[in-house]
Amino acid sequence: MSPAGGGGDPDPGTEGTPAPGPAAEEGPDPAASAEARDPGLQPERTRLAWRRTTLSCTIVAVLAVKLAVHDELTPVGLTGLALSALVWIGFLAVAHRRIRTLAAARPRPLSHRGGLLAAGCTIALAVFGAAMIW
């Protein structure tokens, strides 16, 4: 049997290469890629954004205290100050929980409840700050 006769010899160009099977067509294993995930700097940037927002809320709360102490203490001013402090503490709790979650290798997404609470606290703090100025 000669090579030109096409006797049962495999094609010389395909020697040593495995035949495509079902495993080659499926792609990479999702479980293996989840463990080998390189998150890069995205969690760090998100953590820093939460810290910046927390700092901004703290500045607004401190300015509310300064405004309440600087002017005459009225029941409306004290109520605004107490509500601002309560909202600030609520935002700190949400932000601290999110920052801790981002420390994991595969952080969970922010829940709808957490997102609404953070947005509500930010809006409420802005409203209470504006109300104290008037």
Side-chain angles (χ1 to χ4, degrees):
M1 291 197 188
S2 70
D9 293 338
D11 183 24
T14 60
E15 269 185 74
T17 57
E25 294 172 3
E26 289 177 10
D29 182 22
S33 65
E35 292 175 9
R37 176 181 177 267
D38 178 22
L41 295 176
Q42 190 272 331
E44 180 68 19
R45 286 192 305 267
T46 305
R47 193 171 24 258
L48 290 172
W50 276 100
R51 289 179 191 237
R52 281 191 308 270
T53 307
T54 302
L55 179 62
S56 298
C57 287
T58 302
I59 290 171
V60 170
V62 167
L63 289 175
V65 169
K66 181 181 181 250
L67 185 65
V69 171
H70 181 67
D71 290 343
E72 200 175 294
L73 289 177
T74 63
V76 173
L78 284 175
T79 303
L81 182 61
L83 290 174
S84 295
L86 183 65
V87 168
W88 176 69
I89 290 171
F91 184 82
L92 281 179
V94 172
H96 182 69
R97 184 176 184 166
R98 186 63 189 156
I99 289 169
R100 275 193 337 230
T101 302
L102 288 170
R106 183 99 173 146
R108 293 185 320 253
L110 181 65
S111 67
H112 293 291
R113 179 178 164 212
L116 286 174
L117 189 58
C121 287
T122 303
I123 292 169
L125 194 57
V127 168
F128 294 147
M132 288 183 67
I133 292 173
W134 286 343

